[in-house]
Structures are given as structure tokens and as C-alpha cells.
Amino acid sequence: MASTVAPDKIIDSPRTGTSKKIDFGRMNRKAWLVTALLVLFQIVAFADKAVLGLVASEAIPDLGISAVEFGFIGSAFFFLYAVVSVVTGFLAAKFSVRWIILTMGVVWAVMQFPMLLGGGAAILLVTRIVLGGAEGPATAMSLTSVHSWFEPRRRALPSNLVAAGSTLGPVLAAPALAWVIGEWGWRWAFGVLGIVGFLWVIAWVLLAGDGPYSGHGKQGDEGVPAESDADADDVDKQRPIALWRAFASLTFLAAVIGGGSNFWVQGFVTTWLPQYLGTVVGLSLPQVGTVTTIPWILGAVVLLLLGFLGHRLMQKGFNSHRSIAIPFGIAALVAGVCFIFVQAASGVFAVALLCLAAGCSLAYPMTASALAFSVGRKQRPIMMATLGGVASVGAIISPTLVGWLMTRAGYVSPPSGAELTPEMANNMAVGVHQAFTITGILLLVGGVLCILFLRPEALGRTLQAGYSK
């Protein structure tokens, strides 16, 4: 039987004139190892985003803050998200993504411990702002790293696997952190995340690296097999373009609105969904920890299915608009319809609609993955990071807006140790249901725009023809 591992090959370096032996079998194994580490990277990042909602019911009275103030802290996570995302995108065009990701991981771990050691509301606010800045570029840098290990037509599946890590974070974290909160108190939820973060950093230092399709350095110039570039329609060989032309395009606008609607959902789901389930639906803390995993499980399933679909379509020659953008848009439409109908349902059916709505609206990385096909490898991290930064405005607005809608409806958080009255639970429900309607409309608009206008290859051709440097 013939070997399924590609043989070694000698290729010439266009820069040095020397030859280099490429071990394709070893490269393939390393590619999937790095992919696995990046999946874990996303799990850790989104576990941290989920922790605030899980500690809400105990932290709000202990810290002596209102619902609006807690919502503001949830929004604060995204204050530096956009700025650091954009800056990091430009840095990744010049420096190794491996070390950028390592720095992010170290900051994540360190910033968990102030709350474990007794920090108050001000410390929680500051650490969430710093964490948001460090986590802002996470998806863009993860996709940049995984793209450096696979040729363009093989990127859809590993990209969605990495994206699925973002949905698995709360799946794995919610039950475990709910148990930690019940046994050791809400502050230890932050401490456990810090310890896990440091363990991941050690693994990354020992096992990770930049792939042969990276956009900088010696490896990026010499390691790309020439025939793979040709088979992938020369996506990685596009000339640098005037980036402001790309940012001013309808394609980028569609990606921003589509991705922003997903960030909007992330913002209020991670901040308010656990308390909504406990207060309005009446679930216990262990039940909340279990139920809050369902949207993330569905999100992982959606991303994996769409990843396999995109992989098959691109292997058959379809472009990223049909393979990635349209499936993303359809998922957003499903989510929008479900959010709008949640408030008209009740009981188990309402929870099921809410889980389906949230699960189908956690596919933001697909917009970044699609947009990557519009530019060459050196400008790819800039495009993806800028998209993430601008789209994250949705997550800045939604937690505070939900808190404001609840307060406007008459909700007031009870003092520490006091029971929440049925009237306050109803007021919370009124405010949150208004937020569901707003969210549904945003998802519908974002989904339609991505289906119609998120056309990366067409944008790439336009930019190469008229605006390349």
C-alpha cells in the first residue's frame, strides 16, 4: 500500500538561492499540534469571558454595586479590545505571532489573581479592562497562526476548529467554575483560571512555532511549497495594498456588522445570561452552570459542521463567499429569528429557543476567516485584527444596555443575603426581553449583509487591480 504521507521535497529559496528540504509529513503533524494548542488558547480566553456572568449573583452584593455598574464592568472588558486588536495586527505583520500569543497568555494568567487576593469593584474594573486588551487580538492571532500552517484551500476546517475552541471555553468552564464557586467561593473562579492559564503558557513555550505560510521572516519566505500556492489561486501571493481602501469597502462593512452582531450576543450572554436563568427562569446555581453550556455546545457543533462544509466546498473550487460567508449569514439569520421569538415563548421552549439563538450567533471567527482571503499574507493579520477590534464595539454596548433596560423596567439588585422578590424578577425579565428583540434585529441585518456583500475574492481582485503598492 502506498504511503499516505507526502515525501520530502527539495525546493529553492527565492531569496537566498539555496535549497531547503521540506519534510511534509512532519510539517503536517506539527500543524495539527499547533492547531490543538490554539483550540486550547481559545478555550482559556472564552472561559475568562464567561466567568463574570457566573459570579454575578454573589459578586454584585458582595462588592456593593448596582446592575448598571456591573453591566459597565462587563462592558469595560472591551474598552481596550479594539485598540489593542488593531495595534497587534500591525505588529503581527512584522513580528512572530508565536511570541505575541505567548505575551497574551501570560497577561491573562497574571490578571486573574488580584480578585482571588481580595480585590474590590475598582480592581475588578481595572483587571477586566487589561484582560480585554490582552484578549482582544486572540481570535485574529489564533487564525493568523493556524493559517501559517495550512495552504489556503485547507484553512476552512482548522480555522473553524480554532473558532470552536471559543465555544468550548464556557462549555468546559461553566460547570467546573460553578462547582468551584459553590465549594470555595466566587473569588476562586478567577484563581483557577489563572492557574490554568499558566499551564497553557508552559505548553505553548515548549511546543509551538510559526508555520511555513507565515507572513514574515526566513521561514515565511522559504518554507512555502510553490505548487501549493498555485493550487490555492495565489491568495498568499497578493501584493500589499492601500489598507484604507479595504477598510472603506462594502465587504469590510458587511463583515463588521455581521461580526459585531455576534460580539453583541457574546457581551450580554457572558454578563447576564447566568443571572437571567437563575432569577427569571428559576434555576439553581448548578443548573445554571449546566444550562449555560448548551449555547456554547450548539455553537461548537455549528462551527464544526460549517467548517467541514466550507472545507468540502473550497476543495471543490468554490470561493470563500460561498464556502464561509453565506453559511455564516444563514446561521445569523436563524439566531435572529430565535431571539425575537424568545419573549413570546415560556418554560422549556423559551430556554430551547434562547440556547439555539445564542449557539447560532457565536460564529464570529468565520467573518475574519473569510475576510483573510481579500489580502496577502503580510496584511492578513491586520485585516482580521482590525475587523475584530471594530466589531467588538457590539460587546461594549450590549452589557451596559441590558443593565440600563433592566433598571428602566424597575429592577433593583437586592442587598447581600436578601431574597429577590417576584416583582424584581419580572422587572428583570422585561428589560432582558427588550434586549432580545434588539439583538434579533441586529443579527438579521448582519446576516443579510454578509450573504449579499461579504465577497473577499472580489474585493481582492479590485484591490490588486487598482490599489496595490
Side-chain angles (χ1 to χ4, degrees):
M1 180 179 294
S3 172
T4 58
V5 178
D8 296 349
K9 182 176 180 179
I10 303 294
I11 64 171
D12 294 327
S13 166
R15 185 164 60 86
T16 65
T18 60
S19 296
K20 183 175 181 179
K21 184 177 181 180
I22 301 296
D23 184 343
F24 289 102
R26 181 178 179 181
M27 187 177 76
N28 189 59
R29 290 191 296 271
K30 184 66 175 284
W32 288 109
L33 174 61
V34 172
T35 300
L37 287 173
L38 291 169
V39 171
L40 293 175
F41 184 66
Q42 290 290 92
I43 288 174
V44 173
F46 275 75
D48 176 66
K49 290 180 180 178
V51 69
L52 199 63
L54 291 170
V55 305
S57 59
E58 295 188 25
I60 289 176
D62 282 358
L63 296 175
I65 57 179
S66 68
V68 173
E69 290 169 333
F70 187 76
F72 180 78
I73 292 174
S75 296
F77 184 88
F78 296 93
F79 286 175
L80 293 179
Y81 203 97
V83 174
V84 178
S85 291
V86 174
V87 171
T88 304
F90 282 92
L91 291 175
K94 298 181 178 294
F95 303 103
S96 169
V97 175
R98 176 191 183 188
W99 299 111
I100 292 174
I101 290 176
L102 174 64
T103 302
M104 293 163 59
V106 171
V107 174
W108 297 359
V110 170
M111 284 295 103
Q112 304 296 343
F113 292 106
M115 291 312 297
L116 173 64
L117 299 176
I123 296 297
L124 179 59
L125 175 64
V126 172
T127 55
R128 297 309 288 178
I129 292 174
V130 175
L131 277 166
E135 291 188 14
T139 297
M141 294 303 101
S142 297
L143 292 174
T144 298
S145 181
V146 80
H147 283 192
S148 77
W149 284 97
F150 296 90
E151 67 238 35
R153 289 199 180 278
R154 296 183 61 227
R155 288 173 185 165
L157 179 57
S159 295
N160 274 33
L161 287 173
V162 171
S166 64
T167 67
L168 293 175
V171 170
L172 299 176
L177 292 179
W179 180 86
V180 168
I181 293 167
E183 293 293 320
W184 301 338
W186 64 270
R187 292 185 182 276
W188 263 103
F190 294 95
V192 168
L193 287 176
I195 294 169
V196 171
F198 274 123
L199 292 176
W200 181 88
V201 163
I202 293 171
W204 183 256
V205 170
L206 296 176
L207 301 173
D210 292 321
Y213 298 90
S214 60
H216 58 83
K218 181 177 179 179
Q219 190 179 32
D221 291 335
E222 296 186 3
V224 182
E227 73 278 4
S228 295
D229 277 344
D231 291 343
D233 299 326
D234 294 328
V235 170
D236 281 349
K237 291 184 176 181
Q238 294 185 86
R239 299 183 304 277
I241 50 91
L243 281 169
W244 73 269
R245 294 282 186 179
F247 297 146
S249 68
L250 191 56
T251 290
F252 187 77
L253 177 64
V256 166
I257 297 176
S261 68
N262 278 209
F263 269 102
W264 180 283
V265 175
Q266 289 181 29
F268 89 76
V269 164
T270 55
T271 305
W272 290 113
L273 180 60
Q275 190 172 6
Y276 173 82
L277 292 172
T279 300
V280 177
V281 181
L283 303 182
S284 66
L285 181 59
Q287 290 173 328
V288 169
T290 300
V291 172
T292 51
T293 66
I294 296 176
W296 303 96
I297 292 173
L298 290 174
V301 171
V302 168
L303 281 167
L304 290 174
L305 289 176
L306 295 184
F308 280 109
L309 174 64
H311 177 78
R312 292 291 300 274
L313 290 175
M314 295 198 80
Q315 290 296 311
K316 291 181 178 180
F318 290 99
N319 60 21
S320 64
H321 172 246
R322 293 189 178 185
S323 303
I324 303 174
I326 290 178
F328 167 84
I330 292 172
L333 293 178
V334 172
V337 171
C338 290
F339 268 120
I340 289 173
F341 282 101
V342 164
Q343 58 187 310
S346 61
V348 175
F349 184 56
V351 174
L353 276 177
L354 181 57
C355 290
L356 181 60
C360 288
S361 57
L362 296 173
Y364 153 73
M366 293 181 67
T367 61
S369 183
L371 196 63
F373 285 83
S374 63
V375 294
R377 71 180 74 165
K378 286 184 178 295
Q379 294 182 313
R380 184 181 304 133
I382 301 174
M383 285 289 286
M384 291 194 291
T386 302
L387 170 62
V390 178
S392 69
V393 172
I396 295 175
I397 298 172
S398 63
T400 301
L401 178 65
V402 174
W404 179 78
L405 289 171
M406 288 163 50
T407 300
R408 194 184 71 163
Y411 174 79
V412 178
S413 179
S416 180
E419 293 290 331
L420 189 72
T421 65
E423 179 186 3
M424 289 298 105
N426 181 69
N427 292 341
M428 173 184 279
V430 171
V432 174
H433 288 165
Q434 291 172 348
F436 287 162
T437 300
I438 296 171
T439 301
I441 294 171
L442 286 174
L443 285 162
L444 291 175
V445 172
V448 169
L449 288 177
C450 286
I451 290 172
L452 295 178
F453 302 117
L454 183 47
R455 299 174 179 271
E457 286 86 359
L459 174 62
R461 289 190 296 269
T462 299
L463 294 172
Q464 289 297 304
Y467 306 109
S468 60
K469 297 178 181 179

